[in-house]
Amino acid sequence: VQLQASGGGLVQAGDSLRLSCAASGRIFFSSNVMGWFRQAPGGAREFVAAATSGGNAYYADSVKGRFTISRDNAKNTVYLQINSLEPEDTAVYYCAAHKVRAVFYTVSRSPDDYDYWGQGTQVTVSS
């Protein structure tokens, strides 16, 4: 399974970015919760957002209202629209997939619960 993230870059505060993550390989995309995490220099990897195959979305409190996660199951791709970027958003952004193993489940915000990871895409926001 490969997750390929793209769309990062160097932007100014207030700008917008759209990150993409395409999944390939032996993955049944619709059976996975797709998530975005980020890691700032010297910091821990933190949850940003997640989306179920049915379209339910979950966000970290710090990004609510500015970040929007979406997914296109037909294209095996998950997106993260980031608006009103702030210098504090500077980090490497990672996409991840959590294989759903039960009919009823709770969407996890812990990186330890995700099975597959992309290589990350750098987002740098200048003030």
Side-chain angles (χ1 to χ4, degrees):
V1 175
Q2 294 83 39
L3 300 179
Q4 182 69 44
S6 61
L10 173 62
V11 298
Q12 293 186 332
D15 286 350
S16 298
L17 278 176
R18 189 194 196 201
L19 308 183
S20 299
C21 174
S24 61
R26 297 178 67 86
I27 182 172
F28 187 45
F29 191 74
S30 295
S31 294
N32 285 264
V33 171
M34 299 302 297
W36 285 97
F37 291 77
R38 66 184 180 184
Q39 188 167 16
R45 193 166 296 189
E46 65 173 0
F47 173 81
V48 173
T52 67
S53 61
N56 293 319
Y58 304 81
Y59 298 96
D61 289 342
S62 59
V63 306
K64 281 181 181 178
R66 296 191 299 120
F67 289 28
T68 303
I69 188 171
S70 61
R71 56 190 289 169
D72 185 334
N73 292 331
K75 295 182 178 179
N76 285 5
T77 301
V78 62
Y79 306 96
L80 187 68
Q81 176 69 39
I82 310 175
N83 297 327
S84 302
L85 277 154
E86 304 170 351
E88 292 73 23
D89 296 319
T90 295
V92 178
Y93 284 70
Y94 297 91
C95 61
H98 167 69
K99 186 176 180 180
V100 173
R101 297 172 173 85
V103 175
F104 299 102
Y105 61 94
T106 300
V107 173
S108 175
R109 298 172 182 236
S110 170
D112 294 338
D113 292 329
Y114 284 75
D115 302 289
Y116 307 108
W117 289 86
Q119 85 288 0
T121 184
Q122 176 72 48
V123 173
T124 303
V125 185
S126 63
S127 58

